[in-house]
């Protein structure tokens, strides 16, 4: 990933925040047929390993878990957070010199790691329970769905149809391209433009980038 110094994100807390709040990662693997990408919701276990561990599951019918080595396959998981198109018209300095062009602001985290297949009913059951609990709570329902709401034999059959994967994260590379390289009035103009389109998540990230 092209990473100018002024866009490099090195704060562990911010890297982990992006992975937690935007858990649908793109898992990139190298298999017998070349590169492959699977989009999977991940659980981040921050307490395991120097950079944490990513846990997920895939359908048993998905060839991914058979095509990568069972132990230690090098993989990449990409997490993308807020993003927004930036128009030059939002920069107050534009009329002064007309030396601005469109760009795109975004935050991404690349998690490099080693994948291990966990074809283990206990691992998968615990993972599904935690993922369900986390994301049902985020859905802000009065009565969140629980695994116990379904018949045990149905849940058992669903669990048998998936396989767990565990990724030991060995390196995190983060990029926060949020207008830090702009003068304050242009950065705030872009924030206002993005917020005006209703993209408050990107606007808030851009505001935060200017506080450093």
């Amino acid at each position: 990933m092209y990473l100018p110094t002024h866009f490099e994100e090195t704060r562990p807390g911010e890297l982990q925040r992006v992975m937690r709040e935007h858990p649908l990662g793109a898992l990139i693997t190298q298999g017998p047929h070349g590169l492959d990408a699977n989009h999977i919701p991940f659980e981040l276990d921050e307490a395991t390993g120097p950079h944490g561990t990513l846990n997920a599951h895939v359908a048993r019918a998905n060839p991914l878990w058979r095509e990568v080595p069972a132990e230690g396959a090098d993989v990449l998981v990409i997490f993308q957070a807020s993003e927004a198109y930036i128009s030059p018209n939002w920069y107050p300095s534009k009329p002064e010199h007309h030396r601005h062009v469109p760009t795109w602001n975004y935050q991404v985290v690349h998690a490099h790691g080693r994948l291990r297949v966990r074809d283990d009913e206990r691992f998968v059951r615990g993972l599904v329970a935690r993922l369900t609990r986390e994301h049902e709570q985020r859905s802000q329902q009065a009565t969140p769905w629980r695994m116990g709401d379904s018949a045990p034999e149905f849940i058992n059959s669903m669990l048998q149809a998936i396989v767990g994967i565990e990724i030991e994260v060995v390196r995190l590379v983060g990029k926060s391209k949020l207008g830090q390289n702009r003068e304050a009035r242009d950065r705030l103009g872009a924030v206002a433009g993005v917020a005006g389109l209703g993209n408050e998540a990107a606007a808030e990230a851009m505001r935060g980038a200017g506080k450093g």
Side-chain angles (χ1 to χ4, degrees):
M1 175 169 62
Y2 174 57
L3 190 59
T5 303
H6 49 275
F7 294 145
E8 186 175 7
E9 181 59 75
T10 59
R11 295 170 294 173
E14 182 64 6
L15 297 170
Q16 292 175 345
R17 182 196 68 79
V18 170
M19 292 190 288
R20 283 195 311 270
E21 295 184 6
H22 305 272
L24 185 67
L27 171 60
I28 313 300
T29 57
Q30 177 74 51
H33 306 294
L35 289 172
D36 192 17
N38 283 267
H39 302 269
I40 304 169
F42 284 90
E43 172 197 52
L44 172 63
D45 180 358
E46 301 169 16
T48 305
H51 300 288
T53 299
L54 292 168
N55 300 313
H57 60 81
V58 298
R60 188 170 292 277
N62 187 332
L64 178 150
W65 70 278
R66 297 183 186 277
E67 293 180 350
V68 300
E71 297 290 339
D74 289 330
V75 299
L76 170 66
V77 186
I78 301 173
F79 296 91
Q80 179 172 312
S82 54
E83 48 85 19
Y85 171 78
I86 306 299
S87 170
N89 290 331
W90 295 336
Y91 299 138
S93 68
K94 178 208 166 197
E96 298 171 8
H97 50 67
H98 297 283
R99 295 180 62 84
H100 290 305
V101 294
T103 190
W104 213 285
N105 282 359
Y106 58 90
Q107 284 187 288
V108 292
V109 173
H110 289 189
H112 298 257
R114 292 187 286 263
L115 185 147
R116 176 188 177 198
V117 174
R118 295 292 302 270
D119 192 6
D120 173 344
E121 193 272 346
R122 182 177 179 182
F123 174 88
V124 170
R125 182 179 291 274
L127 171 63
V128 170
R130 293 190 302 273
L131 284 173
T132 299
R133 183 166 56 248
E134 170 70 17
H135 296 291
E136 283 290 316
Q137 288 176 351
R138 290 193 192 188
S139 70
Q140 301 181 6
Q141 299 177 76
T143 307
W145 183 87
R146 300 178 301 171
M147 290 174 67
D149 291 347
S150 295
E153 57 272 18
F154 174 75
I155 293 296
N156 290 341
S157 68
M158 292 293 98
L159 293 176
Q160 290 169 9
I162 59 178
V163 177
I165 58 174
E166 178 182 78
I167 299 172
E168 175 193 4
V169 180
V170 298
R171 183 163 61 100
L172 289 173
V173 181
K175 185 173 184 178
S176 292
K177 182 183 178 297
L178 298 170
Q180 305 95 311
N181 56 324
R182 302 291 179 185
E183 60 176 295
R185 58 174 176 160
D186 286 345
R187 181 177 51 77
L188 293 175
V191 168
V194 169
L197 293 177
N199 190 346
E200 186 55 38
E204 183 60 29
M206 292 162 62
R207 289 190 196 100
K211 294 177 182 177

